[in-house]
Amino acid sequence: MTGPVIAPAVAQPDARAALHRLRAEVAKAVVGQDAVVTGLVIALLCRGHVLLEGVPGVAKTLLVRTVATALDLESKRVQFTPDLMPGDVTGSLVFDPHTAAFTFREGPVFTNLLLADEINRTPPKTQSALLEVMEERQVSVEGERRPLPEPFIVAATQNPIEYEGTYPLPEAQLDRFLLKLTVPLPSRDEELGVLRAHHAGFDPRDLRAVGVRPVATAADLAAAREAVRAVHVAEPVLGYIVDLCRATRVAPALELGASPRGATGLLATAKAWSWLAGRDHVTPDDVKAVARPTLRHRLRLRPEVELEGMTVDAVLDAVLATVPTPR
C-alpha cells in the first residue's frame, strides 16, 4: 500500500490538507514509512485498530508516538509480557485507606492512541480484556461502564520471527483489527539517513527537539470522518467488494476466508482511501489499493500450502487478478 496521489486540480478541504501534512511531519523523525503512516491515518478515519508487524528495530514504537504527536493526540504504551494482568491494561479498583472506599484507577487504555507492544507475548486472558476494550470502547468494572476517550484506536505490534514464549492471537481477535500493516526494513539510502540523523544527535525520545509539532487536531479528524462517511459507493463497487471477499472463502489455498466483517472493513478503508485521494466516490482501484492490508490477517492458509512457501498476500493477488473488475 502506497499513499494516494493527489491531483493538483482537486480542491482539498482543510481537514484533508491537515492530514496530508502529517506525512512530512512524521518524516522528521521516521524515515521511509509513508505507507504505514497512511494506514494509521485510514484507521483513525475509520475508527479501526491496526496490527503492525515487523522485525525489531524498524521504528514501530517511534512511528506510533510520532503520529500521535503530529495529530496532537494523547498516546500511551503498554509492553505486553507473560505476567501482565487484565487490570494492568484496563484499570482496577484500588482501596483508599483515607476514605475507606474503593476508587477506580484508570489503566493505560484511557488514551487516544494506545501502543500495545508485542501483544502476542501476553496470555489469552489479558488479550481478551483488550479485545473487549477494542470492540466496546469502554471499560466495565463492578457493573459501571467507563467510556474511553474519543478518538481511540489500538496500534498493536508483533514480531514475525520470534515465536518462543508467545501466545498467537486467535482469529476472533485478529478479525477485530481493521488493518494489518507490514513495517518493512528501510532501503540503503533510507538507512543512511537514519545513521546521519543519529550521528547528528537525534534522540528518538525527544520528538520536539527534531521539530515534530501538531499539524492536525482531533477537530480535523472529526471533520474528516464526517466527510469520509459521505463518500459515494456505487452498487457495482459494493458488489465487487462482496465478490472479492466471497472469492477468498472458496480459494483452494485457504482454509479460512474473509468474514462479512472483513467486507465492511474493506468498504470503510476504500472510502477513506478515496477521500484522502481527493475523490467523493470509490473506484475499484481504491478497493484494490487497500485489499491486502484490510484482508491479509483475516485469512488462513492451509498447512500444506504454507509449507510450500505460499503467502496470504500471494493468494490475495490471485483473487484480485481473477475477480472481474466492474467498469
Side-chain angles (χ1 to χ4, degrees):
M1 185 174 72
T2 58
V5 177
I6 305 302
V10 178
Q12 295 186 57
D14 290 343
R16 184 187 291 125
L19 290 177
H20 275 285
R21 288 195 297 269
L22 182 70
R23 281 188 194 168
E25 206 61 27
V26 172
K28 293 178 180 178
V30 181
V31 178
Q33 298 293 357
D34 280 358
V36 184
V37 173
T38 300
L40 285 170
V41 171
I42 287 175
L44 283 161
L45 290 172
C46 300
R47 301 179 79 241
H49 308 290
V50 178
L51 185 62
L52 301 172
E53 187 171 88
V55 299
V58 289
K60 297 186 291 294
T61 302
L62 177 62
L63 177 66
V64 173
R65 289 179 50 242
T66 309
V67 168
T69 300
L71 285 173
D72 199 21
L73 299 177
E74 184 186 35
S75 175
K76 293 180 182 176
R77 174 180 176 272
V78 179
Q79 179 65 51
F80 280 74
T81 57
D83 60 348
L84 196 72
M85 298 298 291
D88 298 330
V89 177
T90 60
S92 57
L93 292 174
V94 178
F95 182 74
D96 186 347
H98 299 292
T99 61
F102 285 93
T103 58
F104 180 70
R105 180 177 296 170
E106 292 184 349
V109 295
F110 286 88
T111 189
N112 298 123
L113 185 50
L114 176 69
L115 175 61
D117 224 346
E118 295 189 295
I119 189 175
N120 56 338
R121 290 202 176 278
T122 201
K125 186 176 182 179
T126 304
Q127 289 179 2
S128 297
L130 182 61
L131 170 61
E132 181 184 4
V133 169
M134 291 166 57
E135 185 71 14
E136 305 296 334
R137 299 180 184 274
Q138 65 180 24
V139 171
S140 298
V141 178
E142 295 296 324
E144 184 177 349
R145 298 177 179 178
R146 294 173 170 84
L148 299 180
E150 184 62 39
F152 169 74
I153 73 165
V154 172
T157 72
Q158 65 177 13
N159 189 330
I161 59 172
E162 291 181 10
Y163 294 105
E164 186 176 348
T166 63
Y167 303 82
L169 297 176
E171 280 72 21
Q173 183 154 356
L174 285 171
D175 205 30
R176 258 64 174 193
F177 285 97
L178 179 67
L179 298 168
K180 179 181 178 182
L181 304 175
T182 301
V183 186
L185 288 164
S187 66
R188 184 179 187 277
D189 288 343
E190 290 167 347
E191 196 163 358
L192 274 172
V194 172
L195 294 186
R196 291 190 189 105
H198 280 263
H199 178 59
F202 169 65
D203 183 357
R205 291 171 292 277
D206 187 3
L207 296 177
R208 301 287 180 179
V210 294
V212 177
R213 59 184 179 83
V215 294
T217 65
D220 292 322
L221 189 58
R225 286 176 172 178
E226 287 298 320
V228 168
R229 276 193 281 268
V231 170
H232 176 68
V233 187
E235 193 67 26
V237 178
L238 288 175
Y240 182 55
I241 292 172
V242 170
D243 291 343
L244 285 175
C245 292
R246 292 180 68 86
T248 65
R249 299 171 199 162
V250 296
L254 298 176
E255 64 178 13
L256 180 67
S259 69
R261 184 187 283 118
T264 60
L266 186 53
L267 171 63
T269 55
K271 290 174 68 173
W273 177 273
S274 174
W275 180 81
L276 282 171
R279 291 186 292 277
D280 62 358
H281 64 282
V282 175
T283 68
D285 285 341
D286 294 329
V287 176
K288 291 178 180 179
V290 294
R292 294 173 190 83
T294 307
L295 298 180
R296 60 165 62 111
H297 56 295
R298 308 174 196 270
L299 312 179
R300 186 169 65 198
L301 291 168
R302 295 188 181 279
E304 63 273 18
V305 173
E306 193 169 10
L307 287 173
E308 294 171 0
M310 177 71 75
T311 65
V312 166
D313 277 11
V315 175
L316 278 172
D317 288 343
V319 168
L320 289 167
T322 55
V323 173
T325 305
R327 299 294 180 185

